């Protein structure tokens, strides 16, 4: 039988704004060419015409699901460049918001993963359970999707007093829901049959392909920026990094699932430990940047994300380089798809949690 | 004396049989063949053997026509372009077919048994009982041979058409 | 001549306008013709409307035409199918903590099927370039015809049945063998890759699951020693075959899900892999005819067959009529068939084929042995 | 019901169509279709002959029994033939019988 070439995307329901040129032989994929770049919008170039604070609203656009995660390394890099010390309350708030956003992002991913496996309940439940967390973030920032909450030197505004009790209520609710997710999806025999042993990424391959985030941790490598290079107050909080050794789609999904539990623990500690005080170091007017360069790394929802800022002491940064986790995970997709079955394509593709907009920037 | 359902069915059967061979797209040929099978099943109902008619539909329409369609899709032959030699060949074939048909019709219409024959009709119980007692009685060896033949054909077809193998083998080349 | 229809209001206005003119012209043209023709007929149709003759109405209710077209036949099944569509959405919504259809109709979106129908009718039917037009247009009609012909042999009660035939079970399998052809033809005629892959998957699935299904029903046929569906129901008066042949019931249930292409066996329509499978290129009312009528009529037919084979058909305490018992049982089966859609993800084709050829085939053979054992022990009254 | 001879004539015509197809067609699938048409003509003949009182009671249904055998064996033959065709197509990228010269001795 001869090979047939299939174009999955950008209008295919099985991919995002992204195209996979597949060559299938029977039911088996023999060749894959990923075709990214459909939603490239020149974020890095745009940064060169705006000052540090003006950059915030558009920098979170590529990953509106994970807006705190994508801004975190940026504000860390800015603070490094400007040499600012962030108040402690702001650090706790940032951590809490980052974890809330990690859960929002993981739930969105879980919903899409569910519907792409044909499990419509697993699409509706996470989408519905995002709501309490979105409400929580709205309580803090005033926005529902793009919070623009982190600014260089702290957070944009303080949270109302009801934030702590609200957060604890949401955490209690969601802990119960996670058990139900486990019952209906993660222990479902058909889910196990479809994901166990599918798309195995060994430890060696994961390192040589440069995978990050849950993809890396699903292959048995204990690598998380929050633990390895703790920023803000992460080193004062007690949490664990879930790591699974199998490296298949199941372990990648499970790592993300367990991460949500850990995020709940972090949010709980952060809101309880949070001291009173200012939440921002004032930065009045246009800040003239000092000449120099800075680099910062943080753990966004999809993995380690880093920013590199070069300044020539002008009003605007000279160059900003963004390294998003989706782009770093992109090489694993063709590697895993080659030799897989066509039916496993959505499992592998969405198991990697590739977000085309983030990768294209 | 020829009645109307028989006439309609026979005209349809002959037309679809010719279309099965002469249609430009081979897939139309396969679909026409399925309709021919269906018409034959219709004759069985006229002959009051509904059991056999359903058997014919299940196996010939549901299996034979489907695997022919399936093979056409796998193999994917395009439209046929006739050459001069083909035309000569087909004139020869038409002559042979007509001579054959004329001979058969003359022989059959001269056969005295056909004119004297009277139709019989059996209830389903008698029919099934009769077939069953023959299968278990005098025709047991035929039955077993047919079963063995089917098994052999199944194994043979699977061996012939076995595809490239497991994903790992395909990946390695 | 007329301005283009832009929204639903315009559409309804247009329909009302046409209805107005028809009502104006009908008395002027049609009624005189009817009155003239009537003189040559044995009965007066026009007087029948004003002064109905009860005997004629009963004769109509008892006629074959009424059976085929209305009650156990197509209109009933299509109405039931439309209701199944709504019921499925409501059940799924409840499982997923949503409300489901809510606004069409005053109560719980009860008119949603009509709203869906109007929406699909007002959509454009796109015939893509390169499709094989005769086959492309024939497939929806063929699919509906096949699905509707399944209804002919299903007995709702001792009297409400279209065809009383001695080969009912065989007729069902003969009709089922047409569905792969329809799917293959649709996949080929669409001239697109995803429909072709979907059609091939549908073929694999239907062929692999037809054999366990036939063997599961063979147990029922052995026990009732008849292929007549009426006879099969009659023999279950005291004990349902569900209790005698539980393995057969399970196998039939699973294979029915596979034949219906329902979750978890919806691989031919797996939208994340192959768009909508063999339905990809269909749009507007053609899609509506296949999905809305053919698929759901088939769904009803399979649930009814499960009722006939395993749930004792119309039998039940005679407090309520036999037809109602049958409909209630069918409804229960339909609900059971909907629930997997909220619980299971889609299965993969190799797992499905292995399960079909190895496990279900073994189970259905076991089922036949159970049936033979019951026959040997003489649990059922021998006729 | 129609007479026996009309069934026999019809099956003769169908059989001749099959003969014509076998002689004139080059594509292996068409030849297989011709064989199927011929088999069905024979089938019709068997069933027609046994539905009329031609044989005596013990062997009355022999024709129909043979029809059942013919149907099953036709299915087996089609399966093997088409499997062969797929194999040949993989090797030669063609299923025209005149191209299969390598099969000659």
């Amino acid at each position: 039988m001869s090979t047939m070439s299939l174009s999955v995307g950008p209008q295919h329901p099985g991919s995002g704004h992204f195209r996979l040129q597949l060559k299938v032989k029977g039911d088996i994929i023999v060749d894959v060419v990923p075709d990214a770049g459909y939603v490239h919008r020149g974020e890095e170039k745009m940064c060169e015409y705006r000052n540090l604070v003006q950059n915030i609203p558009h920098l979170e656009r590529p990953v509106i699901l994970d807006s705190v995660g994508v801004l975190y390394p940026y504000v860390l890099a800015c603070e490094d460049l400007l040499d600012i010390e962030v108040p402690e309350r702001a650090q706790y708030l940032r951590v809490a918001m980052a974890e809330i956003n990690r859960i929002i992002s993981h739930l969105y991913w879980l919903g899409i993963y569910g519907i792409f496996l044909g499990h419509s309940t697993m699409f509706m439940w996470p989408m519905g359970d995002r709501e309490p967390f979105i409400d929580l973030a709205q309580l803090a920032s005033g926005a529902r999707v793009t919070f623009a909450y982190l600014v260089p030197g702290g957070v944009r505004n303080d949270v109302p007093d009801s934030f702590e009790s609200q957060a604890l209520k949401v955490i209690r609710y969601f802990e119960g829901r996670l058990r139900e997710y486990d019952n209906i999806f993660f222990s479902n025999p058909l889910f196990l049959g479809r994901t166990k042993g599918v798309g195995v990424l060994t430890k060696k391959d994961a390192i040589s392909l440069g995978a990050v985030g849950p993809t890396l941790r699903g292959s048995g490598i204990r690598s998380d920026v929050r633990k390895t290079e703790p920023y803000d107050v992460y080193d004062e909080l007690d949490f664990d990094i879930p790591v699974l050794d199998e490296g298949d789609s199941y372990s990648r999904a499970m790592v993300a699932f367990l991460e949500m539990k850990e995020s709940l623990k972090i949010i709980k500690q952060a809101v309880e430990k949070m001291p009173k005080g200012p939440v921002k170091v004032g930065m009045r007017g246009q800040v003239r940047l000092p000449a120099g360069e800075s680099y910062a790394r943080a753990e966004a929802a999809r993995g380690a994300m880093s920013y590199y800022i070069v300044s020539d002491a002008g009003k605007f940064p000279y160059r900003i380089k963004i390294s998003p986790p989706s782009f770093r995970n992109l090489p694993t997709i063709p590697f895993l798809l080659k030799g897989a079955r066509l039916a496993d394509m959505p499992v592998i593709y969405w198991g990697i949690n590739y977000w085309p907009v983030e990768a294209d920037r | 004396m020829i009645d109307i359902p028989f006439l309609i069915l026979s005209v349809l059967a002959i037309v679809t049989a010719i279309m099965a061979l002469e249609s430009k797209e081979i897939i139309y040929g396969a679909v026409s063949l399925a309709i021919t099978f269906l018409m034959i099943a219709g004759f069985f109902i006229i002959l009051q053997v509904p059991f056999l008619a359903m058997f014919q539909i299940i196996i010939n329409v549901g299996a034979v026509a489907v695997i022919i369609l399936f093979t056409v899709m796998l193999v994917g032959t395009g439209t046929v372009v006739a050459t001069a030699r083909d035309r000569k060949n087909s004139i020869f074939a038409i002559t042979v077919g007509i001579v054959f048909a004329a001979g058969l019709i003359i022989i059959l219409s001269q056969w005295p048994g056909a004119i004297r024959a009277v139709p019989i009709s059996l209830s389903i119980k008698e029919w099934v009982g009769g077939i069953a007692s023959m299968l278990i009685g005098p025709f047991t060896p035929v039955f077993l041979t047919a079963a063995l033949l089917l098994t052999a054909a199944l194994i043979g077809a699977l061996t012939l058409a076995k595809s490239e193998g497991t994903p790992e083998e395909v990946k390695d080349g | 001549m007329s301005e283009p229809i832009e929204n639903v209001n315009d559409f309804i206005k247009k329909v009302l306008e046409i209805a107005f003119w028809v009502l104006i012209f009908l008395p002027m043209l049609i009624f005189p013709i009817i009155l003239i023709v009537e003189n040559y007929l044995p009965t007066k149709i026009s007087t029948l409307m004003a002064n109905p003759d009860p005997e004629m109405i009963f004769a109509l209710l008892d006629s074959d035409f009424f059976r085929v077209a209305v009650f156990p036949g197509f209109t009933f099944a299509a109405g039931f199918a439309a209701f199944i569509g709504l019921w499925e959405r409501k059940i799924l919504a409840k499982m997923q903590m949503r409300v489901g259809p809510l606004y069409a109709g005053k109560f719980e979106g009860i008119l949603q099927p009509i709203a869906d129908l109007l929406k699909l009718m007002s959509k454009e039917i796109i015939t893509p370039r390169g499709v094989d037009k005769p086959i492309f247009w024939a497939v929806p009609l063929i699919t509906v015809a096949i699905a509707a012909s399944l209804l002919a042999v299903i007995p709702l009660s001792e009297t409400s049945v279209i065809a009383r035939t001695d080969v009912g079970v065989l007729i069902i399998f003969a009709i089922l063998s047409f569905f792969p052809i329809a799917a293959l033809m649709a996949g080929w005629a669409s001239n697109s890759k995803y429909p072709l892959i979907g059609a091939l998957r549908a073929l694999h699935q239907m062929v692999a699951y037809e054999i366990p299904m036939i063997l599961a029903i063979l147990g029922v046929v052995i026990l009732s020693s008849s292929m007549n569906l009426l006879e099969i129901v009659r023999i279950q008066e005291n004990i349902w075959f569900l209790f005698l042949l539980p393995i057969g019931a399970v196998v039939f249930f699973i294979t029915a899900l596979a034949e219906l292409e329902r979750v978890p066996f919806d691989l031919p329509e797996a939208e994340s892999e192959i768009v909508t499978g063999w339905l990809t290129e269909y749009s507007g009312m053609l899609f509506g005819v296949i999905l809305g009528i053919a698929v759901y009529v088939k769904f009803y037919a399979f649930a009814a067959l499960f009722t006939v084979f395993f749930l004792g058909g119309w039998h039940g305490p005679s407090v309520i009529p036999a037809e109602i018992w049958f409909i209630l049982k069918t409804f229960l089966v339909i609900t059971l068939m909907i629930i997997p859609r909220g619980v299971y993800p889609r299965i993969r084709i190799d797992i499905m084929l292995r399960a079909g050829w190895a496990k279900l085939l073994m189970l259905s053979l076991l089922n036949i042995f159970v049936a033979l054992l019951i026959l040997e022990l003489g649990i059922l009254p021998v006729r | 019901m129609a007479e026996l001879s009309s069934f026999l004539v019809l099956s003769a015509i169908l059989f001749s169509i099959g003969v014509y197809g076998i002689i004139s067609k080059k594509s292996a699938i068409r030849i297989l279709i011709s064989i199927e048409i011929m088999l069905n003509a024979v089938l019709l003949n068997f069933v027609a002959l046994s539905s009329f009182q031609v044989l005596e009671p013990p062997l009355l249904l022999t024709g129909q029994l043979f029809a059942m055998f013919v149907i099953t064996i036709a299915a087996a033959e089609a399966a093997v033939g088409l499997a062969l065709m797929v194999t040949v197509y993989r090797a030669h990228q063609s299923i025209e019988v005149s191209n299969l010269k390598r099969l000659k001795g």
Side-chain angles (χ1 to χ4, degrees), chain A residues 5-8 12-14 27 115-121 124-125 177 184 188 190-191 193-194 198 341 343-344 346, chain C residues 92 95-98 193-194 196-197 201 263-264 266 271-275 341-351:
Chain A
S5 77
L6 286 175
S7 186
V8 179
H12 186 285
D27 197 29
I115 193 69
F116 277 28
L117 282 166
H119 197 306
S120 52
T121 304
M124 296 295 174
W125 279 8
R177 293 293 293 164
I184 201 164
N188 196 318
L190 287 186
F191 173 74
R194 282 208 64 177
V198 168
R341 288 177 189 277
D344 288 336
Chain C
L92 270 185
M95 288 176 77
Q96 294 165 354
M97 308 194 305
R98 298 183 285 126
K193 286 166 187 168
Y194 297 115
L196 187 61
I197 296 175
R201 283 185 176 191
V263 176
D266 64 335
E271 78 278 355
S272 57
E273 297 151 30
I274 48 171
V275 196
R341 191 170 162 187
V343 179
Y344 288 114
R346 186 179 305 121
I347 200 168
R348 203 171 59 215
I349 190 148
D350 56 325
I351 303 176

Side-chain angles (χ1 to χ4, degrees), chain A residues 129-154:
Chain A
D129 287 335
R130 278 176 77 219
E131 279 309 301
F133 288 99
I134 289 178
D135 288 344
L136 201 59
Q138 189 185 11
L139 201 61
S141 69
R144 284 177 61 81
V145 184
T146 48
F147 312 126
Y149 191 57
L150 270 56
V151 291

